[in-house]
Amino acid sequence: MKNKWFVIPKKNINADLKIICFPYAGGNSSTYISWSEKLPSNVELVIIQAPGRGTRLGETAHSNMDCLINELIKVAPDILDRPYILFGHSLGSRIAFELMDKLKQLNYPLPLHFIASASSGPHKKLTKKSIYHLSDKEFIVELEKLNGTPQAVLKDKELMKLFMPLLRADFEIADNYNYTGNTIFNCPISVLGGEDDMNISHANLNSWGEFFTMNANIYLLPGNHFFIDSHKEMVIEKVNGIIQSTLQKLRLAIDS
């Protein structure tokens, strides 16, 4: 199976479990590519690659959550042939949640575990103020404050010309989206947060639990909002712990 929506660094037809990962606003598969070397050998990594990023840079990025999910749901069943975990960072966690909500509506298999990272619950605003509509100069100033885009990129006019449409589209979703449904999911939920992330409080992280039958397991890691990049090894270690626990439960369910 090959689809431009999915980046699969190491195809594994014998995988017992998949982890499906969603990048943050303006991000791409590079955040997760190296994970493929650190995951258990029986786990396959799938990275969602929406239009406007990576090898799809020339395509128009979605600026509306519903439009994005309606396109993704057409192909998502192709990667649900194994038990799976969903992982999303910041905006990625909300896209993962919306996809899960749509999958439940359509009676597709749901994840064995949901991992949200660097995000308040989906019903809370992700950004304090809208920035996607600002002038290029003002928009770049706001991006600098977030510390998520490398300075080398922000200072390169040609690169910014390439990435600006994607960044604006992603931030339009981030600025405008909040979940208004009341679906409750019956799977474990883990939430990762940065100790120095000034915009996401412990209460914000804990608010994810409102949409799950189980309380959210909260894990604080060193770093700011982009700890997924600055403390990658610690993130992978935490994710692998969740994966091992999920695999153990899966084996017990099969044996029984």
Side-chain angles (χ1 to χ4, degrees):
M1 180 273 299
K2 186 174 183 181
N3 189 297
K4 58 186 178 180
W5 274 92
F6 312 126
V7 175
I8 305 176
K10 293 173 68 176
K11 185 66 180 174
N12 186 352
I13 60 173
N14 297 314
D16 295 316
L17 182 73
K18 295 186 179 187
I19 181 165
I20 303 171
C21 297
F22 298 73
Y24 49 75
N28 55 52
S29 60
S30 63
T31 297
Y32 301 108
I33 287 287
S34 64
W35 287 26
S36 63
E37 302 299 328
K38 306 287 187 178
L39 298 173
S41 59
N42 60 338
V43 175
E44 183 179 77
L45 171 65
V46 180
I47 308 165
I48 299 300
Q49 179 174 253
R53 70 202 74 226
T55 59
R56 307 185 70 183
L57 186 61
E59 300 179 42
T60 301
H62 288 287
S63 58
N64 175 275
M65 180 70 86
D66 289 339
C67 293
L68 171 59
I69 295 300
N70 287 339
E71 286 299 310
L72 179 54
I73 196 65
K74 295 175 183 177
V75 296
D78 294 347
I79 53 172
L80 304 184
D81 57 324
R82 296 281 194 281
Y84 66 98
I85 290 172
L86 291 180
F87 179 101
H89 187 85
S90 196
L91 177 62
S93 67
R94 285 141 184 268
I95 296 172
F97 182 83
E98 276 291 325
L99 176 64
M100 181 170 64
D101 190 48
K102 181 68 75 172
L103 290 170
K104 185 169 185 177
Q105 291 175 33
L106 298 174
N107 294 314
Y108 283 111
L110 295 179
L112 298 185
H113 204 112
F114 185 89
I115 309 174
S117 180
S119 175
S120 304
H123 57 312
K124 296 183 178 294
K125 293 290 289 183
L126 185 61
T127 55
K128 287 187 174 180
K129 62 178 182 178
S130 295
I131 67 171
Y132 70 91
H133 60 280
L134 297 175
S135 68
D136 286 357
K137 185 177 180 180
E138 293 171 318
F139 187 61
I140 290 172
V141 169
E142 293 301 321
L143 291 177
E144 286 180 324
K145 293 177 183 177
L146 294 173
N147 293 316
T149 307
Q151 283 292 320
V153 174
L154 290 171
K155 300 300 182 186
D156 190 314
K157 291 183 179 180
E158 290 303 313
L159 275 179
M160 284 306 296
K161 186 177 180 180
L162 281 174
F163 288 117
M164 189 69 79
L166 166 64
L167 288 163
R168 286 193 183 279
D170 275 1
F171 274 94
E172 184 168 353
I173 295 177
D175 290 347
N176 293 325
Y177 169 78
N178 68 294
Y179 181 65
T180 56
N182 55 7
T183 305
I184 303 296
F185 296 92
N186 185 27
C187 74
I189 161 87
S190 294
V191 186
L192 311 185
E195 293 176 347
D196 300 320
D197 189 343
M198 296 296 100
N199 294 320
I200 311 291
S201 68
H202 192 279
N204 291 149
L205 297 173
N206 201 51
S207 67
W208 276 97
E210 296 178 30
F211 301 96
F212 294 81
T213 56
M214 307 176 195
N215 292 330
N217 296 309
I218 311 296
Y219 303 99
L220 292 179
L221 302 176
N224 60 24
H225 191 69
F226 294 96
F227 61 86
I228 192 171
D229 293 324
S230 62
H231 292 79
K232 181 173 291 188
E233 293 299 321
M234 295 185 74
V235 174
I236 295 173
E237 181 181 355
K238 184 58 64 179
V239 168
N240 271 336
I242 294 169
I243 286 173
Q244 293 293 0
S245 176
T246 303
L247 284 169
Q248 186 176 19
K249 292 176 183 176
L250 189 58
R251 293 188 198 101
L252 289 172
I254 293 173
D255 292 342
S256 61

